[in-house]
Amino acid sequence: MENGAARPAPAVIVAIDGPSGTGKSSTSKAVAAKLGLSYLDTGAQYRAITWWMVTNGIDITDPTAIAAVAGKPEIISGTDPSAPAITVDGTDVAGPIRTQEVTSKVSAVSAVPEVRTRITELQRSIADAAELGIVVEGRDIGTTVLPDADLKIFLTASPEARAARRSGELKGADVNSTREALLKRDAADSSRKTSPLAKADDAVEVDTSDLTLQQVIECVVTLVEEKRAAK
């Protein structure tokens, strides 16, 4: 360009999917921070709406009751990878949404079509507003939420590796019970009728079982930079 000005990097939308314990969140945040992109944890949004349902006494076993109020809570997600904030009706819920009570109920709430429609619209609007690009992590981003994403990555890992990581995060949780809980959640997320956990046909699969977090981050950064260069 004239005057030797560097051409700004083209905006890139990156979808990172995969089950729990594969390093999705840590990888997505680090990649976004390294490349100057926005970041969105879609799982936190489903946790947020689940937290609201629990707090307001909605019967989690009744999809009709959940559907009837899916549009009520106002969920606002921050997109700063170094400090991803989330509020529900103005309340900071970054901590409360990580409790075991919410974790145990999020699959049931997430399976309700009206909830997925509401949250998917929210996710698309956030991605559309990200001027420099965004890393969006979840379970159905490449297949349903952002099927036209520039780059789709599907992170996998063995159940053992995932349980070890997750129990480490949960500070001393029993690895075997953690593994059972992960597999149960996989089954629920993969078999639901609306937007199941699935790998997009054009996604790049990265098995993180034997990789350090740093190696996974470097791998994904390289893939994003290659995609940017090709735009």
Side-chain angles (χ1 to χ4, degrees), residues 113-182:
E114 288 81 358
V115 169
R116 296 207 78 80
T117 298
R118 162 85 201 286
I119 300 293
T120 295
E121 287 171 358
L122 183 58
Q123 290 161 2
R124 285 176 178 156
S125 67
I126 291 169
D128 287 343
E131 291 179 10
L132 300 176
I134 190 168
V135 177
V136 184
E137 60 139 313
R139 285 169 165 71
D140 66 339
I141 310 308
T143 51
T144 303
V145 180
L146 299 169
D148 297 325
D150 297 301
L151 175 65
K152 300 174 188 177
I153 293 168
F154 194 84
L155 295 185
T156 63
S158 68
E160 292 71 25
R162 292 167 53 206
R165 283 177 194 151
R166 188 44 61 97
S167 59
E169 288 171 17
L170 298 174
K171 296 185 177 63
D174 176 58
V175 174
N176 287 332
S177 60
T178 302
R179 180 176 180 272
E180 292 306 311
L182 286 172

Side-chain angles (χ1 to χ4, degrees), residues 4-93:
R7 187 167 70 92
V12 62
I13 292 179
V14 182
I16 300 185
D17 290 307
S20 303
T22 52
K24 252 193 347 261
S25 292
S26 303
T27 299
S28 301
K29 277 187 262 196
V31 169
K34 201 163 186 176
L35 296 174
L37 303 174
S38 295
Y39 160 77
L40 179 61
D41 173 2
T42 64
Q45 295 176 314
Y46 283 106
R47 285 173 172 275
I49 199 166
T50 301
W51 173 86
W52 185 90
M53 299 275 175
V54 171
T55 303
N56 284 277
I58 308 302
D59 183 357
I60 301 299
T61 64
D62 183 355
T64 306
I66 292 172
V69 293
K72 283 196 168 183
E74 183 189 27
I75 299 168
I76 297 178
S77 297
T79 57
D80 177 354
S82 63
I86 185 160
T87 63
V88 178
D89 296 337
T91 300
D92 177 357
V93 294

